[in-house]
């Protein structure tokens, strides 16, 4: 099992520009919980699934409009990378590093 727990400084390359956020991960068996905090506020992680070193989760946001984001990311040491799917708006790359 990979060490996915911790705090991650992430950036999502979105049409609205770089969306910087802090992702907190607390694994529990095949699942995980946490939060994502950025300039638009903080949201709780829902439907967190842990498969090896791959994290899958959903986030419900209200800014810039209400929608549920489907996220997938893989942890490799002190880096994380993946994508955020925003429904009809497409999918955007997510990258980040473990916070000190």
């Amino acid at each position: 099992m990979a060490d996915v727990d911790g705090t991650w400084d992430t950036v999502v390359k979105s049409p609205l520009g770089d969306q910087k956020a802090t992702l907190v991960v607390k694994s529990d068996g095949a699942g995980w919980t946490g939060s994502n905090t950025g300039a638009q506020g903080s949201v709780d992680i829902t439907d967190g699934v842990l498969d090896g070193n791959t994290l899958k989760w959903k986030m419900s946001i209200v800014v810039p409009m209400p929608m549920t984001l489907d996220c997938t990311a893989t942890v490799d040491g002190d880096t994380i990378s993946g994508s955020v799917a925003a429904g009809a708006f497409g999918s955007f790359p997510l990258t980040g590093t473990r916070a000190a």
Side-chain angles (χ1 to χ4, degrees), residues 19-82:
Q19 302 296 311
K20 297 182 179 181
T22 301
L23 177 67
V24 176
V25 177
K26 182 171 179 16
S27 63
D28 181 16
W32 68 280
T33 57
S35 62
N36 191 76
T37 304
Q40 311 296 343
S42 182
V43 295
D44 288 333
I45 300 303
T46 58
D47 300 335
V49 175
L50 178 61
D51 181 7
N53 61 344
T54 299
L55 300 163
K56 295 180 182 180
W57 72 98
K58 295 182 186 301
M59 295 186 295
S60 293
I61 63 169
V62 293
V63 177
M65 66 190 63
M67 72 173 71
T68 298
L69 305 177
D70 287 305
C71 311
T72 303
T74 301
V75 173
D76 182 7
D78 288 335
T79 62
I80 189 170
S81 61

